[in-house]
Amino acid sequence: MKHFLFFSLLLASAPVRAQQSEDFRIIDIAQKEIRLFNAYKDKDSAERSRVFADSLYQPYKAFWAGYMGEEENFVRWANKALTNLYGFNQKNGRINGGQLLRQFDVVKKGMEALTGYRPKGEWYVVYGPAWANLGGLSGGTMFIDLSHHSNSSNDAIMMMFPHEITHQIYANVNTHHDTTALGSIIGEGFAVYMNQLYWKKSFTLAEHLGYPEAGLRAVEEQDAAIRQFFEDNKYSADKTTIDKFRNRSFHLQPGLPGAIGYYIGYKIIDAYVRKHGAESWKDVFTKSPEEIYTTSGY
């Protein structure tokens, strides 16, 4: 699984700022949200809703529509979110925005040096419904939802950046658009593998997978059942089935963590590298998920 655009932490009225290049942008909506939430928390609900729609949703409609859906969904959430404004303000003061931006730049450049590719797309920093800590939408759009409980510090936020940057590189480099469960599994497993490769031994495999340590032990103990589930569904193109592999709310068995596809994908990539050599992870950027899987020995 995945904040850095807090350059205006002490300037609540500052405009949204973004780091931009020809093919990579970081857009901070979070500071504008905090400013307007504080300014309109005691206003008439109709006036407040109008401001939230016109100033927060509409200017960034493409992002919010992909993450939350229609305008009315966002406005409803924003009004309800005011009950947690104290918590938002506390977190906003706790995160070191300048340091986070520098950390992000270091990881981005580190991933470019490691892979030989540059990430492309947009990053949005927001306060949202906390459906994910870091995540991806269509078209290479990534986001960090500061509302999520796991985004508690700079280090916690940074830990998953290599994972998400891998997705941005992979989506733009790999031309094999596999829409089956296998394609999703390989993509997520590769992102886990690259996160681990970047951070070396700084974190445990469970942390890279987003599992509790007990959850990782459970999947290792239930490896046979997990493999069977994979064999039965690996070529499915059904969205509901694919979601079972990547949704953290779906549990194959009691005691097993969600997003079981992350573990399966990681095991496939790890098996491939063990078989083909230490640098062979680079093949994943250019070969099809099917070829990686069938030649992995998993």
Side-chain angles (χ1 to χ4, degrees), residues 129-151:
W131 291 337
N133 54 346
L134 294 89
L137 304 175
S138 62
T141 297
M142 309 297 292
F143 67 89
I144 303 172
D145 190 338
L146 297 183
S147 300
H148 198 278
H149 65 87
S150 68
N151 291 328

Side-chain angles (χ1 to χ4, degrees), residues 2-3 70 90 125 173 183 186 219 230 241 250 255-256 276 278 287 291 297:
K2 8 354 175 6
H3 286 287
E70 298 297 325
Q90 290 294 106
V125 186
V173 171
I186 292 294
V219 296
F230 169 68
T241 301
F250 174 78
L256 289 180
H276 296 279
K287 292 184 177 182
E291 184 175 1

Side-chain angles (χ1 to χ4, degrees), residues 183-281:
S184 174
I185 289 166
I186 292 294
E188 292 296 351
F190 186 44
V192 172
Y193 186 90
M194 292 305 296
N195 209 66
Q196 183 184 58
L197 186 65
Y198 181 88
W199 289 119
K200 298 182 172 63
K201 297 182 179 180
S202 299
F203 304 95
T204 67
L205 176 57
E207 289 176 305
H208 290 297
L209 288 163
Y211 296 171
E213 294 294 336
L216 178 57
R217 290 194 296 271
V219 296
E220 290 171 341
E221 291 168 0
Q222 297 296 321
D223 186 73
I226 291 168
R227 282 176 181 257
Q228 188 60 56
F229 180 69
F230 169 68
E231 287 296 325
D232 292 342
N233 297 284
K234 60 189 176 185
Y235 295 125
S236 175
D238 176 64
K239 184 179 183 301
T240 300
T241 301
I242 294 172
D243 282 345
K244 289 180 179 179
F245 285 100
R246 61 190 181 193
N247 191 327
R248 294 193 180 273
S249 298
F250 174 78
H251 302 276
L252 184 60
Q253 294 180 4
L256 289 180
I260 201 68
Y262 286 46
Y263 169 77
I264 299 168
Y266 171 83
K267 296 293 284 187
I268 292 172
I269 302 299
D270 187 58
Y272 182 92
V273 174
R274 289 178 185 275
K275 185 175 180 179
H276 296 279
E279 295 293 306
S280 62
W281 55 265

